[in-house]
Amino acid sequence: MNSASKTVDTSQSTEQAACEQRKARRAATLNRVGKGLSMVGLGWIEPILKVAAGDNPQEQVKSLWQQLGIPLAAIGLFLMLWSMTAPLVNTSLGTIPGPSAVWEQVTVLYADHQAQRAKETAFDLRQAEKKADAVSKGEEYKTRQYTGKPTYIDQIATSLKTVFMGFVLASVVAIPLGVFCGLSPTVNAALNPLIQIFKPVSPLAWLPIVTMVVSALYVSADPMFEKSFVTSAVTVTLCSLWPTLINTAVGVASIDKDLMNVGRVLQLKWSTKITKLVLPSSLPYIFTGLRLSLGVGWMVLIAAEMLAQNPGLGKFVWDEFQNGSSASLARIMVAVFTIGIIGFLLDRVMYALQSTFTRSATR
């Protein structure tokens, strides 16, 4: 009887231990999934998954309310106040559009994009037929590009390509200079006055200079990029490189001296010391600078596009302002929300990269 009881107890203990192991593995999996979701701004999904897994439902519901319920309630309150106050403000273009009017213009702009793409497809088909007919007759046919008006989606794509180019150029310049400033007090003393002078300069001041320089130097019969694109990208570069440069210099200068002494004792080559010690140790600072630079670059780009009338969201806003139609205000507000949402998504992307490539903020 005692033997049978011991067997049952052992079996129950084994089953309980296996259950605990399953719970631990499930918790570890949910934590990994939650970390990945938080990187892209979807951390509120984690409590839902934990509730489905039966992990302390009361606590998870509270967490879900904190992460999703409160923000949604705040957005709902904002939309309600917007709807109530918008009709009270009269402008030269009419009353301020409410949320429904702005959403209506979103659908109109998207429908316009689809219509333009349909026209482009029809143009390409007609051109392909003409080219095939010319080739069959042994005649030469010159291919033409579709010259339809760029749509709102096209303007978004142009702005994204421009800010990406400017951000990459700024990073290529700022990170090496920041490393040099952080490693050498002499270089830092030499560059610091220039950094402090040029850092606060507005893009509106840089733009005329950049436009003239690009027009003088970027001369080609068949250019790879349009001059307007190069002008906007260089302006973004000049205004957005400073946060990355400064943060990189601070990060490199604050590396543990014992770590650098180890490199000297091991007689590491300069390139090895940079790639194995300096850059990995200063990555949290570098990514903080990159996130700030990308945000600055996105804001600068819109202003540059408006002033120079270069293709992009800034030009769209200015064109709608000059147009003065009844839908212009609503379309401008569509652009405002688009600019804000894209800025948020760009920051999320940089945060995800930072979380992927850096272990922690401490070194």
Side-chain angles (χ1 to χ4, degrees):
M1 187 70 178
N2 291 336
S3 176
S5 178
K6 289 181 180 178
T7 301
V8 171
D9 290 343
T10 303
S11 176
Q12 290 178 346
S13 299
T14 303
E15 183 177 350
Q16 185 176 2
C19 182
E20 293 295 331
Q21 289 180 352
R22 288 194 296 271
K23 287 183 179 180
R25 287 196 298 268
R26 183 173 60 194
T29 301
L30 288 175
N31 287 334
R32 288 195 299 269
V33 172
K35 183 178 180 181
L37 292 171
S38 297
M39 289 182 186
V40 295
L42 298 175
W44 54 269
I45 297 179
E46 182 183 5
I48 297 176
L49 297 177
K50 289 185 176 181
V51 167
D55 184 4
N56 197 347
Q58 185 175 359
E59 182 179 343
Q60 300 308 323
V61 168
K62 183 179 179 181
S63 177
L64 181 62
W65 168 250
Q66 188 74 24
Q67 296 186 47
L68 183 63
I70 293 177
L72 287 180
I75 292 173
L77 179 62
F78 167 75
L79 293 176
M80 183 179 68
L81 292 175
W82 178 13
S83 299
M84 293 171 58
T85 58
L88 304 179
V89 181
N90 286 299
T91 70
S92 58
L93 300 180
T95 59
I96 296 293
S100 59
V102 172
W103 179 253
E104 180 183 353
Q105 289 307 311
V106 171
T107 60
V108 170
L109 289 170
Y110 184 69
D112 177 65
H113 173 74
Q114 290 182 311
Q116 285 292 332
R117 293 289 77 81
K119 291 181 181 179
E120 183 178 6
T121 301
F123 174 83
D124 292 339
L125 289 174
R126 289 195 303 270
Q127 184 166 238
E129 292 174 357
K130 293 179 180 178
K131 183 177 180 180
D133 184 59
V135 170
S136 65
K137 296 178 181 178
E139 299 175 353
E140 184 178 354
Y141 183 83
K142 184 177 180 180
T143 303
R144 295 180 298 167
Q145 295 293 329
Y146 180 72
T147 57
K149 180 182 178 181
T151 65
Y152 184 66
I153 306 298
D154 296 332
Q155 303 281 34
I156 294 175
T158 299
S159 290
L160 286 174
K161 288 188 291 186
T162 307
V163 78
F164 176 76
M165 176 64 74
F167 174 70
V168 169
L169 291 175
S171 302
V172 169
V173 173
I175 293 176
L177 284 179
V179 170
F180 289 136
C181 289
L183 290 176
S184 172
T186 302
V187 174
N188 185 62
L191 293 182
N192 187 59
L194 298 176
I195 294 172
Q196 300 305 322
I197 291 172
F198 290 123
K199 182 181 65 172
V201 177
S202 167
L204 304 184
W206 280 119
L207 190 58
I209 300 173
V210 173
T211 301
M212 289 186 290
V213 172
V214 170
S215 299
L217 299 180
Y218 192 67
V219 180
S220 173
D222 186 22
M224 181 180 297
F225 302 107
E226 295 291 334
K227 283 187 178 181
S228 59
F229 174 82
V230 176
T231 300
S232 296
V234 172
T235 305
V236 169
T237 299
L238 290 173
C239 295
S240 66
L241 62 86
W242 311 113
T244 299
L245 196 160
I246 293 170
N247 276 271
T248 301
V250 171
V252 173
S254 61
I255 294 175
D256 192 345
K257 301 303 179 185
D258 292 337
L259 185 63
M260 301 302 292
N261 291 333
V262 169
R264 294 190 187 96
V265 170
L266 296 176
Q267 295 183 347
L268 298 177
K269 293 188 299 183
W270 187 82
S271 59
T272 304
K273 183 168 65 174
I274 294 296
T275 56
K276 299 297 184 181
L277 297 180
V278 174
L279 289 179
S281 298
S282 55
L283 270 183
Y285 283 88
I286 293 175
F287 269 105
T288 299
L290 290 173
R291 289 177 66 186
L292 292 172
S293 289
L294 188 55
V296 170
W298 182 241
M299 290 189 295
V300 163
L301 174 64
I302 303 304
E305 289 173 344
M306 289 183 67
L307 182 64
Q309 288 293 282
N310 293 336
L313 280 172
K315 185 177 186 302
F316 174 85
V317 171
W318 184 255
D319 287 345
E320 288 298 331
F321 177 72
Q322 294 294 321
N323 183 25
S325 68
S326 58
S328 291
L329 268 180
R331 293 192 173 196
I332 291 173
M333 297 191 74
V334 171
V336 168
F337 282 108
T338 302
I339 293 166
I341 292 171
I342 291 176
F344 168 75
L345 293 177
L346 291 175
D347 183 73
R348 287 290 92 190
V349 169
M350 290 304 302
Y351 178 73
L353 291 174
Q354 180 177 2
S355 301
T356 301
F357 290 104
T358 58
R359 297 292 181 181
S360 66
T362 59
R363 296 163 301 162

